[in-house]
Amino acid sequence: MEGRMQGKAPLSDSNRRIMDADAPPRRVYQAWKGSNIFFLGGRLIFGPDVRSLLLTVCLIVIPVILFAAVISGQLAHEYHNQIGGWVASVAIIFTAYIIVLLLLTSGRDPGIIPRNAHPPEPEDVGESSNLSEWPGGQHGSTGLPLTKDVLVNGVLVKVKYCHTCMLYRPPRCSHCSICNNCVERFDHHCPWVGQCIGKRNYRFFFMFVSSTTLLCVYVFAFCWVDLRIIMDTHRCKLGRAIMKSPVSGILILYTFIAVWFVGGLTSFHLYLISTNQTTYENFRYRYNMKTNPHNRGLVQNFIEILCSRIPSSRNNFRAKVKEDSATFTSSLGMGRALSPPKMSVDLEMGMKRQTVAMEELEDLHSQIGSAMGLERCGTEPPHIVGRKGCSEIATDIEAFAEEFGLEQRFTERKKIEQRTSHNP
């Protein structure tokens, strides 16, 4: 019997789950199904392209360091310390403010809608569902229509069913293919901040972009002042002044290019805020003033986006994970099992499957087979059989097999074992 135990295959995933039942529970961020990256124990959430955030910080900080170290020093020399120190201090404080806005944009939940563990029931969809999206007006493998109609400010808006998150997306919600999450009031995924821009961080994103634009204008202006002072002091032309202060020339060129990017982005988002649109809606639906159901007027649109209360996150990333699948603490020893596995729907694969995997069923068969071998153990010592007798173990195994719908296969195996015992 010891040889038989030594020859067994490694533990299956089901057995590992049984043995690890006493292990500390995982947190939500550790079992997260999206593509996000977490830091500080789930307190900060970033997109999968978080490395680009370092590049963005360098593009902001390095020019400001050059400006504070070189340009402000030249201004202090020309103005006899009357203005140079203030120019550098304002640039450094403003840069620190922009970095904080950048982290608030990229390191927080943008408005992720939690996934459903199971798809909604068809009867819960309601009469507003639209069946015309399915070929022949039929349901898909989930039994759910692809879209349903929702009333927004008196206008019917179609919302789609997300097969990944197993939910009907709220209005203005979209699934980000990069982060693999449904984000409320999805605007776009910004690679420069490494995060989706949604309902909970759009305000910080707009403040970050607009503040960066002002910083570029500030550095650009004082670099021109520095060059102008050099031209007046040495009575030379612009080219000669740039030769005397090459850092000013480099920063003027750099900020001129940058202001077209961040300044254009600021102008575009000012237009979006004034019309209460998102970037996704602007490129996808092309709303006008009459067809946009979210437009509440210029003043109300700015109040809603920039002055309204930011909703709390729907996710507690540090909460303990609630295991959906049942574990068997002592199925054979206690002579009973937990409730039979429920049928769940794998929407990504497009087919139904049981929550108990095939390898678990094979493992179950091997356990039943080994227990059947104990039925012929009437002459074996009690310490090998255990505390229960063979007849009790057989009864437990029958109940266990019936619980999982294996009663027929168990009965057939039992008949074979009886024939072999009568006909040695």
Side-chain angles (χ1 to χ4, degrees):
M1 190 170 183
E2 293 179 356
R4 189 185 307 171
M5 295 292 292
Q6 292 176 356
K8 280 190 174 182
L11 291 174
S12 64
D13 291 340
S14 60
N15 284 337
R16 288 194 185 95
R17 287 197 295 269
I18 294 172
M19 296 181 67
D20 295 341
D22 296 334
R26 293 192 301 169
R27 304 285 179 176
V28 171
Y29 76 92
Q30 294 173 328
W32 191 250
K33 294 183 179 180
S35 302
N36 302 93
I37 298 175
F38 295 86
F39 292 98
L40 299 179
R43 293 177 177 85
L44 297 178
I45 174 175
F46 296 91
D49 47 355
V50 63
R51 293 182 179 178
S52 61
L53 184 63
L54 298 176
L55 175 61
T56 303
V57 172
C58 292
L59 291 176
I60 296 172
V61 172
I62 292 177
V64 173
I65 292 176
L66 292 175
F67 177 79
V70 179
I71 306 303
S72 63
Q74 293 178 356
L75 292 174
H77 177 72
E78 297 293 338
Y79 284 95
H80 305 289
N81 293 326
Q82 295 179 1
I83 193 175
W86 287 103
V87 170
S89 299
V90 171
I92 293 172
I93 293 173
F94 202 37
T95 301
Y97 167 72
I98 290 173
I99 296 301
V100 171
L101 291 176
L102 176 60
L103 293 177
L104 288 174
T105 302
S106 60
R108 64 186 287 141
D109 177 8
I112 299 172
I113 299 178
R115 302 188 183 195
N116 284 334
H118 305 284
E121 298 294 335
E123 56 268 17
D124 295 336
V125 177
E127 297 179 356
S128 62
S129 59
N130 188 347
L131 305 180
S132 61
E133 299 288 344
W134 293 101
Q138 298 180 358
H139 297 73
S141 59
T142 63
L144 298 171
L146 183 61
T147 64
K148 70 175 183 178
D149 296 331
V150 175
L151 196 64
V152 177
N153 296 329
V155 180
L156 281 178
V157 177
K158 292 184 185 297
V159 295
K160 293 183 178 181
Y161 180 79
C162 180
H163 292 274
T164 302
C165 299
M166 292 189 288
L167 51 83
Y168 281 98
R169 302 169 187 163
R172 317 193 81 176
C173 172
S174 184
H175 190 91
C176 176
S177 59
I178 299 175
C179 293
N180 197 22
N181 297 312
C182 277
V183 179
E184 197 171 5
R185 200 187 183 279
F186 177 78
D187 190 88
H188 69 288
H189 183 94
C190 181
W192 294 100
V193 303
Q195 181 63 282
C196 290
I197 307 302
K199 188 172 185 177
R200 298 191 68 249
N201 64 349
Y202 179 80
R203 182 181 306 173
F204 299 112
F205 171 76
F206 175 75
M207 294 171 64
F208 163 71
V209 173
S210 57
S211 299
T212 305
T213 303
L214 294 178
L215 180 62
C216 288
V217 173
Y218 180 85
V219 173
F220 181 86
F222 276 100
C223 286
W224 268 114
V225 170
D226 181 53
L227 291 179
R228 186 65 185 177
I229 292 174
I230 294 175
M231 292 170 64
D232 292 341
T233 303
H234 299 277
R235 299 188 179 278
C236 60
K237 294 184 178 180
L238 179 62
R240 186 71 180 270
I242 293 177
M243 294 295 293
K244 290 181 175 296
S245 179
V247 175
S248 294
I250 294 173
L251 289 179
I252 285 176
L253 179 62
Y254 178 81
T255 53
F256 177 78
I257 297 174
V259 80
W260 278 101
F261 175 71
V262 292
L265 203 57
T266 301
S267 301
F268 175 66
H269 280 279
L270 281 173
Y271 162 73
L272 293 179
I273 293 173
S274 65
T275 56
N276 206 330
Q277 297 184 69
T278 64
T279 303
Y280 180 82
E281 291 170 347
N282 181 263
F283 284 93
R284 180 73 181 269
Y285 302 115
R286 295 291 182 180
Y287 286 138
N288 55 42
M289 296 298 291
K290 295 182 179 179
T291 60
N292 184 4
H294 310 288
N295 190 5
R296 303 171 59 186
L298 180 64
V299 176
Q300 289 299 321
N301 289 340
F302 272 92
I303 292 176
E304 177 184 341
I305 302 301
L306 302 180
C307 302
S308 62
R309 178 180 175 273
I310 297 177
S312 302
S313 174
R314 298 191 183 190
N315 303 277
N316 184 4
F317 299 111
R318 291 180 52 78
K320 296 180 180 179
V321 176
K322 295 180 180 179
E323 297 292 341
D324 294 333
S325 58
T327 57
F328 306 104
T329 55
S330 55
S331 57
L332 289 178
M334 298 180 64
R336 60 184 176 87
L338 299 179
S339 58
K342 296 180 180 180
M343 296 295 292
S344 63
V345 181
D346 190 346
L347 294 171
E348 296 182 5
M349 297 299 295
M351 53 182 291
K352 289 187 175 182
R353 59 181 176 86
Q354 290 189 351
T355 54
V356 179
M358 290 303 299
E359 62 176 15
E360 299 178 13
L361 289 178
E362 294 175 359
D363 192 32
L364 179 63
H365 289 314
S366 63
Q367 294 178 11
I368 293 174
S370 61
M372 287 298 300
L374 295 177
E375 290 191 1
R376 303 191 300 271
C377 63
T379 59
E380 294 187 7
H383 68 276
I384 298 180
V385 179
R387 294 184 178 181
K388 285 191 174 186
C390 294
S391 60
E392 293 179 344
I393 292 179
T395 304
D396 293 343
I397 295 298
E398 289 176 357
F400 189 80
E402 183 178 0
E403 191 79 8
F404 282 89
L406 302 173
E407 183 180 10
Q408 183 177 0
R409 300 186 65 175
F410 174 81
T411 304
E412 293 176 357
R413 180 170 293 190
K414 186 175 181 181
K415 290 180 180 179
I416 295 174
E417 296 290 342
Q418 289 176 352
R419 290 175 187 171
T420 56
S421 63
H422 290 299
N423 300 317

